[in-house]
Amino acid sequence: MFIYLSKKIAIPNGIELRCLAWNPEHGWIACGGDEGLLKVLKLENSNGGKVNTGTTPKASSSLSMNQTLEGHQGAVVCVTWNANYRKLTTSDEQGLIIVWMLYKGVWFEEMINNRNKSVVKAMRWTADGQKICIVYEDGAVIIGSVDGNRLWGKELNIGLRNTEWCPNSSLVLFVTQDQDLHVYDAIGNKVKQLQLMSDPQSTKKKSK
């Protein structure tokens, strides 16, 4: 097995990147960074996308898409793809969320949302692309549909840092800043709470 540098892509003005996401279905790469930088790239190999096993000459690669998306003012801190519906969802440090759609080979804004209260820590689409979960640092949770409707929301009043759907989308998980895992069903009912990490000092006290 051989590993080689296929393509080196320079970011304009040396702007620092904050987030990155690769769409496995269509090969698009979303890059978010400081100063509202958001780019969508697509890398294509001259060998038709086939993996080079080392027995054939190295294939040159080129960018078939290199579009800068304008809409964010603050640093873009979160990007996620909805592969089934060909949508890109992005959020910046000011809490602005933008859903982008592809039309005739160009990315356009489809929807915009901003709570103006807190920064988004994570966004996840379900496996079928029907629903998105958005979690904010201040503990707010929003579940929305692919057509832009709000399905339900909660104020958990705890700091959140991540979220994820189970494979069949029947449960959604929230990770708190205290390393607890909160499990909710698809309509917003709490199922259980688990402690992911325990304090070593408290564990020692309990064992005495």
Side-chain angles (χ1 to χ4, degrees):
M1 180 177 180
F2 295 89
I3 299 176
Y4 61 91
L5 179 63
S6 175
K7 185 74 174 178
K8 187 174 182 179
I9 304 168
I11 300 301
N13 303 317
I15 294 175
E16 181 178 349
L17 292 182
R18 298 285 196 95
C19 52
L20 184 72
W22 199 322
N23 184 315
E25 290 289 326
H26 307 99
W28 298 312
I29 305 171
C31 309
D34 291 344
E35 302 178 22
L37 174 73
L38 180 61
K39 295 182 75 68
V40 175
L41 315 171
K42 187 173 182 180
L43 189 66
E44 284 194 353
N45 294 330
S46 60
N47 64 350
K50 296 179 180 178
V51 177
N52 194 315
T53 61
T55 59
T56 58
K58 296 178 183 178
S60 62
S61 55
S62 60
L63 291 174
S64 63
M65 177 178 287
N66 184 359
Q67 183 184 344
T68 299
L69 282 58
E70 298 182 356
H72 291 287
Q73 300 301 319
V76 179
V77 296
C78 190
V79 295
T80 185
W81 288 102
N82 183 334
N84 288 357
Y85 287 87
R86 297 192 176 194
K87 295 178 185 287
L88 172 65
T89 309
T90 61
S91 181
D92 61 35
E93 62 184 356
Q94 299 172 359
L96 175 67
I97 299 173
I98 302 178
V99 179
W100 308 83
M101 63 175 292
L102 186 68
Y103 179 71
K104 294 184 177 180
V106 180
W107 293 94
F108 290 95
E109 290 181 3
E110 182 185 27
M111 291 178 281
I112 297 178
N113 181 61
N114 196 346
R115 283 181 66 234
N116 295 310
K117 289 184 178 181
S118 180
V119 64
V120 174
K121 296 300 291 183
M123 302 183 292
R124 296 287 186 275
W125 288 96
T126 54
D128 60 8
Q130 289 285 335
K131 293 183 286 187
I132 189 172
C133 178
I134 303 169
V135 297
Y136 292 83
E137 189 174 39
D138 64 359
V141 173
I142 296 176
I143 305 295
S145 66
V146 68
D147 55 7
N149 292 321
R150 179 181 173 130
L151 301 178
W152 59 269
K154 285 185 177 294
E155 297 284 346
L156 300 185
N157 297 317
I158 51 175
L160 295 177
R161 61 191 308 171
N162 211 343
T163 185
E164 187 58 89
W165 292 93
C166 72
N168 65 3
S169 308
S170 62
L171 298 172
V172 60
L173 316 177
F174 305 122
V175 181
T176 72
Q177 294 179 0
D178 294 328
Q179 302 298 329
D180 289 339
L181 181 66
H182 293 238
V183 184
Y184 282 75
D185 65 20
I187 58 175
N189 299 312
K190 189 172 183 179
V191 176
K192 65 174 61 177
Q193 179 177 337
L194 303 171
Q195 188 173 17
L196 299 181
M197 296 178 65
S198 59
D199 183 355
Q201 296 299 324
S202 63
T203 303
K204 290 179 181 179
K205 291 177 182 179
K206 290 180 181 179
S207 61
K208 291 181 179 180

